Amino acid sequence: MSTAEIGTPVEPRLVTLSEIRIAADRLRGVVVRTPLLEVPSPADVPARRMLVKPESLQVIGSFKIRGAYNAIAGIPAERRHAGVVAYSSGNHAQGVARAARLLEVRAIIVVPRTIPDVKLARIRADGAEVILHGSTSDERGERAATIARREGLTLIPPYDDLAIIAGQGTVGLEIADDLAETVHAGSPEPTILVPIGGGGLAAGVVTAIKAILPRATLFGVEPVDAADARDSLSRGTIVRWPATRTGRTIADGLRTTSIGRLPFEHLRDQLDGVLTVTDEGIIRAMARAFLDLRLVLEPSGAVALAAMLDSGQILEGRGPIVSILSGGNVDPVVFRRALVDSGTWLP
Amino acid sequence: MSTAEIGTPVEPRLVTLSEIRIAADRLRGVVVRTPLLEVPSPADVPARRMLVKPESLQVIGSFKIRGAYNAIAGIPAERRHAGVVAYSSGNHAQGVARAARLLEVRAIIVVPRTIPDVKLARIRADGAEVILHGSTSDERGERAATIARREGLTLIPPYDDLAIIAGQGTVGLEIADDLAETVHAGSPEPTILVPIGGGGLAAGVVTAIKAILPRATLFGVEPVDAADARDSLSRGTIVRWPATRTGRTIADGLRTTSIGRLPFEHLRDQLDGVLTVTDEGIIRAMARAFLDLRLVLEPSGAVALAAMLDSGQILEGRGPIVSILSGGNVDPVVFRRALVDSGTWLP
């Protein structure tokens, strides 16, 4: 019997760089090796190089395939055979459905009754079984846990899981590799901006980057209406924001009311700070991505770009800044409204 | 004195694979190594793998930087010092302006008086001198030639040039390299679809691909209103279409009335055929790229995707199909109209 089982609190284990490298090996040929793209700036304005990592171009249009595939691929064969279950209305659902299809594993996804048709169609197109259930995330989580227990399926959580964090960390590994070609010994170190919802992406990326480029600076980015991670990290304990507040932001993928326990443990000592962005800033960033980068971003996918474009503070440094654009699964109507509201289009 | 100078017709020389490799070396660290992205299709539909090469993500939003940079980098130092001149209202102008900035060379671009403000601003942002002149391409060509002669500048043509063709050929080199990881000995060979305007991109790509993957099939793609290359290749001589006809297509980058002499010589024995697409097909492809690939394409950049989605004939083969998406510099109003006309958005 281990000490954990007799009630002694254990320090949760953190993901290691070598686990992220194993995830990268698993993901080779499965995920897109997304490039770093330069955000154009006028020739006569001396500023830091601004780069983006467009995970909107990833398989399923979001980084979520990385963690989901790594988690499912890591289930021992005898258990993997039975299948997996997840609950999500967003990119994690599509990540699990696609990863299960690629690994030829049965998948059940519990989604809200209010899920948009286009998302439902995409999950079903990947062959997953869909259960429409409940109106809150907690209700769906309970249902998924019940299914997992009864049918012997493995629950694939969206962020509070070491295999998920290691998979998302491959985004950081690729950034570090690409920067190694431009960042030489003695040259200014980079700044990386990463969105925080549940914290899985940020946890993986900060682990990979700090292990390879220890002098790099990492900022999380949150909507002002869902700045729970900022509060959690400054208070040293996980803080929950009310869903009535986080539900206000246009960045629907970042409405999580609190970050996960494991992500928190990864971020508390490694993240350099958290920046917040407004809906107006997010909309301007979506328009800039459309015009100057030819990228279609969902609001959550644009928060790091918004912080890069609007934060005078971080622009005062010297090395390159890399913003992670986490996804591009935007409702066409929301996209159109963003381009109208930003002044790109007349109404 | 060479035989050419006393009037004997000489067979024009073709670009070699090694010249394309030299161009690739010059372009390393300058251009984006664009990835191959998979076009999603339902799990239960057995079909050829459909891939795209999104040069819309390239520096300046188009493949044109590749040829322009290779051409300017290849000018002997004593002549390069004086600078370069080009005439174009489109992506070639931006390619030359950016390449000249990167190589610290003076650039003069002759553009039509009717050039949109946003394009003008981008050319000037790269530090190029702009001359607004004339209403036809021929007038601007004469003006550019006069400037080149008088001031000792080197004229950078848009497609009828070996260095330009070699630079554009690096797109084919990257496709061949990426496919080598998935196409094994004995497996079905790929089909590549490449847009044809003046023919520089198609000439370079066909040369690279046929040298590395001799059993690959290559199709050019043209708008039905500018199918002059199809006619030229079937008749064995360069055919010119009236500008009143080519001016009708929404694909403004492919309104060229005839292909260049050198591109023609590269394509006549190597290209397997030419497919044509309608404006309606182009618009559907732009919408599909927006929804399923999260890419912003200009109409010319969408023609190969349109051919891939609509040509039942090519889908009957077995290997992967790769469509080259040549650019993403679309007028926001044209983009919005395309998404309305395709039924993606209500008016």
Side-chain angles (χ1 to χ4, degrees):
Chain A
M1 188 179 281
S2 78
T3 51
E5 288 174 52
I6 53 168
T8 312
V10 229
E11 198 68 11
R13 181 174 88 70
L14 301 190
V15 164
T16 64
L17 179 61
S18 83
E19 286 173 310
I20 298 174
R21 292 200 191 279
I22 290 167
D25 286 340
R26 283 185 180 140
L27 292 172
R28 195 156 294 128
V30 172
V31 301
V32 176
R33 180 68 166 77
T34 51
L36 291 184
L37 305 178
E38 188 127 18
V39 182
S41 63
D44 53 350
V45 177
R48 302 181 70 168
R49 276 186 79 192
M50 295 195 289
L51 302 164
V52 297
K53 172 81 169 167
E55 284 291 299
S56 54
L57 304 175
Q58 193 47 269
V59 173
I60 71 150
S62 145
F63 71 94
K64 289 277 187 180
I65 183 73
R66 296 174 184 261
Y69 189 95
N70 188 52
I72 299 175
I75 302 170
E78 66 279 9
R79 267 207 302 142
R80 199 204 304 170
H81 179 73
V84 298
V85 58
Y87 60 100
S88 159
S89 59
N91 290 326
H92 179 60
Q94 287 177 54
V96 171
R98 177 63 61 87
R101 168 181 155 191
L102 293 170
L103 290 162
E104 298 182 347
V105 160
R106 177 186 179 203
I108 299 176
I109 317 283
V110 184
V111 303
R113 292 184 195 284
T114 53
I115 190 171
D117 284 347
V118 57
K119 289 191 177 183
L120 193 61
R122 283 181 176 166
I123 295 167
R124 286 190 167 140
D126 275 322
E129 298 158 52
V130 173
I131 295 178
L132 297 161
H133 180 78
S135 54
T136 70
S137 177
D138 285 347
E139 285 175 278
R140 290 189 295 280
E142 279 168 35
R143 179 68 180 265
T146 305
I147 293 168
R149 213 168 34 240
R150 265 198 223 140
E151 308 194 27
L153 277 64
T154 305
L155 187 69
I156 308 294
Y159 44 80
D160 211 356
D161 180 274
L162 291 173
I164 295 284
I165 292 171
Q168 322 300 30
T170 59
V171 172
L173 207 58
E174 292 176 6
I175 293 172
D177 283 349
D178 286 355
L179 285 177
E181 292 177 18
T182 53
V183 179
H184 307 287
S187 70
E189 291 293 330
T191 296
I192 318 286
L193 306 184
V194 53
I196 303 187
L201 176 66
V205 167
V206 79
T207 302
I209 297 280
K210 291 275 176 168
I212 301 172
L213 300 168
R215 292 189 303 139
T217 304
L218 275 102
F219 289 107
V221 184
E222 291 187 306
V224 286
D225 284 325
D228 57 283
R230 182 198 58 190
D231 287 357
S232 299
L233 292 166
S234 68
R235 292 187 205 166
T237 184
I238 296 175
V239 172
R240 180 179 292 268
W241 274 39
T244 47
R245 176 80 190 275
T246 65
R248 286 184 208 162
T249 174
I250 189 177
D252 53 334
L254 304 176
R255 288 176 185 154
T256 337
T257 52
S258 63
I259 60 173
R261 162 62 50 190
L262 278 170
F264 176 75
E265 296 298 334
H266 284 76
L267 296 173
R268 60 189 307 171
D269 294 325
Q270 299 192 93
L271 200 70
D272 295 284
V274 176
L275 306 170
T276 56
V277 294
T278 62
D279 277 8
E280 293 67 34
I282 293 171
I283 285 168
R284 277 196 303 273
M286 290 173 70
R288 182 78 178 268
F290 167 76
L291 289 170
D292 285 350
L293 296 167
R294 297 94 189 167
L295 291 174
V296 177
L297 298 183
E298 60 184 277
S300 305
V303 296
L305 179 60
M308 182 160 70
L309 296 174
D310 291 342
S311 289
Q313 192 190 340
I314 57 164
L315 285 172
E316 285 169 15
R318 285 171 62 234
I321 311 178
V322 181
S323 288
I324 298 172
L325 312 181
S326 53
N329 292 319
V330 59
D331 180 327
V333 173
V334 171
F335 187 80
R336 180 169 64 170
R337 199 182 324 124
L339 266 63
V340 169
D341 290 350
S342 63
T344 308
W345 286 335
L346 296 176
Chain B
M1 187 179 280
S2 79
T3 50
E5 288 175 52
I6 53 168
T8 312
V10 230
E11 199 66 12
R13 180 174 88 69
L14 301 190
V15 163
T16 64
L17 179 61
S18 82
E19 286 173 309
I20 298 173
R21 291 202 191 280
I22 290 167
D25 285 340
R26 283 184 179 140
L27 292 173
R28 194 156 295 127
V30 172
V31 301
V32 176
R33 180 68 166 77
T34 52
L36 291 185
L37 306 179
E38 188 125 20
V39 182
S41 63
D44 53 349
V45 177
R48 302 181 69 169
R49 278 186 78 192
M50 296 195 290
L51 302 164
V52 297
K53 172 81 170 168
E55 284 291 301
S56 53
L57 305 175
Q58 192 48 268
V59 174
I60 71 150
S62 144
F63 71 95
K64 290 277 186 179
I65 184 73
R66 297 174 183 260
Y69 189 95
N70 188 51
I72 299 175
I75 302 171
E78 65 277 12
R79 267 206 302 141
R80 200 205 303 172
H81 179 73
V84 297
V85 57
Y87 60 100
S88 160
S89 59
N91 290 327
H92 179 60
Q94 287 178 54
V96 171
R98 177 63 61 86
R101 167 182 155 191
L102 293 169
L103 290 162
E104 299 182 345
V105 159
R106 178 186 178 203
I108 300 176
I109 317 282
V110 185
V111 303
R113 292 186 195 284
T114 53
I115 190 171
D117 284 348
V118 56
K119 289 191 175 182
L120 194 60
R122 283 182 174 167
I123 295 167
R124 286 190 168 139
D126 274 323
E129 299 159 51
V130 173
I131 295 178
L132 297 161
H133 180 77
S135 55
T136 70
S137 176
D138 284 349
E139 285 175 279
R140 290 189 295 280
E142 279 168 33
R143 180 67 181 266
T146 305
I147 293 168
R149 215 167 34 240
R150 265 198 220 139
E151 307 194 28
L153 275 66
T154 304
L155 186 69
I156 307 294
Y159 45 80
D160 211 357
D161 179 276
L162 291 172
I164 294 284
I165 292 171
Q168 322 301 31
T170 59
V171 172
L173 206 58
E174 292 175 6
I175 292 172
D177 282 350
D178 285 354
L179 286 178
E181 292 178 17
T182 53
V183 178
H184 306 287
S187 70
E189 292 292 332
T191 297
I192 318 286
L193 306 183
V194 53
I196 303 187
L201 176 66
V205 168
V206 78
T207 301
I209 297 281
K210 291 275 176 168
I212 300 171
L213 300 168
R215 292 187 304 139
T217 304
L218 275 103
F219 288 107
V221 183
E222 293 186 304
V224 286
D225 284 324
D228 57 283
R230 181 198 59 190
D231 287 358
S232 299
L233 292 166
S234 67
R235 292 187 205 168
T237 185
I238 296 175
V239 171
R240 181 179 291 269
W241 275 38
T244 47
R245 177 78 190 275
T246 64
R248 285 184 208 162
T249 175
I250 190 178
D252 54 332
L254 305 176
R255 288 176 185 154
T256 338
T257 53
S258 63
I259 59 172
R261 162 61 52 188
L262 278 170
F264 177 74
E265 296 298 336
H266 284 77
L267 296 174
R268 61 189 307 172
D269 295 325
Q270 299 192 95
L271 201 70
D272 294 285
V274 176
L275 306 170
T276 56
V277 294
T278 62
D279 277 7
E280 292 68 33
I282 293 170
I283 284 167
R284 277 196 303 273
M286 289 172 70
R288 181 78 179 266
F290 167 76
L291 288 170
D292 285 349
L293 296 166
R294 297 94 188 167
L295 291 174
V296 177
L297 298 182
E298 60 184 276
S300 305
V303 296
L305 180 61
M308 182 160 70
L309 296 174
D310 290 343
S311 290
Q313 193 190 339
I314 59 164
L315 285 173
E316 286 169 14
R318 287 173 59 234
I321 312 178
V322 182
S323 289
I324 298 172
L325 311 182
S326 52
N329 291 318
V330 60
D331 180 327
V333 174
V334 171
F335 187 81
R336 180 169 62 170
R337 199 181 325 125
L339 265 63
V340 169
D341 291 350
S342 64
T344 308
W345 286 334
L346 297 175

